[in-house]
Structures are given as C-alpha cells and as structure tokens.
Amino acid sequence: MDMDIIPLKKEMVQGDKETLVEDNTQQGDLRIGLGWDPAAINSKFEFDLDLSCILLRTDGRIREAEDFVFFHNLVSQGGAVHHSGDDPDGTVSPNEHDEVITITPQEIELDITRIVVLVTIYDGIARNQHFGMVNRSFVDVRFGNKFLQNRFNLQDPEHSGNTVINCGEIYRVNETWQFKNLSLSSREEIPQVLTRYGAKGAVKPPTKAWVENHQM
C-alpha cells in the first residue's frame, strides 16, 4: 500500500468541486485514501473505519451487488474499481493511508456515471462509537501519485455522533471526471444507505454471502 507522501494542496469544504480527470485519454488511476489513528479514549472496542464506494447508473441506482465495493467485495463488476483490503484498527500505516480504493477511469462502463464515496464505522451503533471519537481521520482523492487533489477532515464537529459519512461523489461529465465534496453524515448502518440507492432486502451487517447472492 506504499504511496508517495505529497504536500497538502488544500482542505475541501462542503460543496467544493474539483476536476480530477480531464478526459479518458489521460493515463493514471484515481486513488481514494482513508487514514485514521487508533482512538486514545477508553473503549473496549477498536475503532474500525471502512472505506467503500457505490457505483451508480444514470438513474442514480446501483445495478448489482458487485457495484458496492467494500471489505467483502474488493473488485467491482468489470474490474475498474479495486479495494486494498480491510484495516480493522487503523494500524496498517502510521503516516498515510490505511485503506485505499483505486479507480481506473478508462475501464468504467458507460452506464456508470456516479461513484459515491463512503466512510463508515464498523458496528458503530452497537459499539456506541462515532466520528467525533476518532483521531486524525481524513480522506483524500488523487489522480496518479504525484498530485494531491483534496483532503477533508472526518473528525469535523458536524459528524460527531454519526457513524456514516458520505464524503462526496466522483461523477462523469462527458469524458471528464469530477469530485464534489458533500460531507453528509448520519447515524445508521450501510444497509440503510444502500437501500436509498436501490438495493433491496439488505441485511446487517453486509456479509460476503450477501454480496454474492443479493439481488438488486
């Protein structure tokens, strides 16, 4: 999971937009990185943050289970999106990203026009955990490995008490890919979030069997 450590360009605020890929002839990957430090507060559970994304059609709905990329489904349908794997406690990398999702724009199917970027606290409600309790938590989005596109803080006071953050959307405008920072948070679990994007009959928690057998 080694990546160059690149100076911070800026911290995005809600509503900011950034062009990531000018056209599909540009070579390189989009990389979404999640980092956090284990919490220093007294808790009998580790803080397990999870990075995931949902690939959506033009109508804003998910096509099938493989288009939800997370710790039990590391590759999207078609192979354009890859997850680096689960870090259960924020110790994979002490200085940089603990989980990374890599997207190859040229390989995304034409009927996929939006990619929602989520960060969740695994079993956060049951463990009585929330983002206000997590140290140095952030997400950034890069194109290639030489330029930091943006970064935003997940420990913002507006997320305190919540367990899911919709960081933003990567979306297609003709052959251009852009990122919009949403920074919307809620206190719920992933199945409820997926239901809003057209998934039906989700169970808690999402399991490998659910990903393999779930019908959209």
Side-chain angles (χ1 to χ4, degrees):
M1 199 181 299
D2 293 336
M3 297 177 65
D4 296 340
I5 298 178
I6 302 169
L8 179 65
K9 180 187 177 187
K10 68 174 183 177
E11 183 170 310
M12 296 189 81
V13 298
Q14 191 173 44
D16 275 1
K17 297 179 181 179
E18 184 100 28
T19 297
L20 300 172
V21 181
E22 295 289 349
D23 60 67
N24 280 336
T25 64
Q26 287 183 272
Q27 297 300 311
D29 294 328
L30 295 175
R31 294 184 179 183
I32 306 165
L34 165 67
W36 80 97
D37 289 342
I41 67 169
N42 183 21
S43 175
K44 62 181 179 180
F45 299 106
E46 299 289 350
F47 279 73
D48 181 2
L49 269 59
D50 292 311
L51 180 65
S52 62
C53 65
I54 308 172
L55 282 66
L56 302 175
R57 305 176 304 199
T58 303
D59 62 3
R61 298 173 67 85
I62 188 171
R63 299 178 305 181
E64 52 195 334
E66 287 79 9
D67 286 333
F68 174 46
V69 178
F70 72 123
F71 57 85
H72 273 318
N73 180 48
L74 300 182
V75 183
S76 68
Q77 177 75 10
V81 182
H82 292 256
H83 194 296
S84 62
D86 187 33
D87 178 356
D89 55 17
T91 60
V92 165
S93 174
N95 298 313
E96 190 62 359
H97 300 126
D98 296 296
E99 295 187 12
V100 176
I101 287 178
T102 304
I103 302 171
T104 305
Q106 299 87 352
E107 296 180 2
I108 298 176
E109 299 94 327
L110 292 177
D111 60 334
I112 296 296
T113 59
R114 295 165 54 199
I115 300 174
V116 177
V117 179
L118 300 173
V119 179
T120 57
I121 300 176
Y122 181 78
D123 226 9
I125 293 177
R127 296 177 178 182
N128 198 28
Q129 297 175 338
H130 58 81
F131 280 101
M133 304 163 71
V134 186
N135 290 334
R136 206 188 68 88
S137 54
F138 69 91
V139 164
D140 61 38
V141 183
R142 303 179 183 188
F143 180 65
N145 63 354
K146 295 183 179 180
F147 188 68
L148 181 61
Q149 295 289 350
N150 49 63
R151 175 175 289 195
F152 48 93
N153 176 21
L154 302 178
Q155 204 176 0
D156 190 287
E158 69 179 285
H159 304 315
S160 183
N162 291 331
T163 55
V164 177
I165 299 178
N166 181 339
C167 298
E169 293 185 359
I170 298 168
Y171 59 97
R172 189 200 303 264
V173 180
N174 298 320
E175 293 187 347
T176 297
W177 286 94
Q178 299 183 348
F179 179 82
K180 181 177 181 180
N181 181 7
L182 295 177
S183 295
L184 301 174
S185 60
S186 57
R187 187 168 181 79
E188 57 186 339
E189 302 284 357
I190 278 291
Q192 288 75 49
V193 177
L194 288 172
T195 298
R196 292 202 295 273
Y197 293 105
K200 298 178 180 179
V203 297
K204 175 186 177 301
T207 63
K208 185 174 182 180
W210 178 85
V211 171
E212 292 174 346
N213 300 318
H214 188 65
Q215 297 297 317
M216 298 297 179

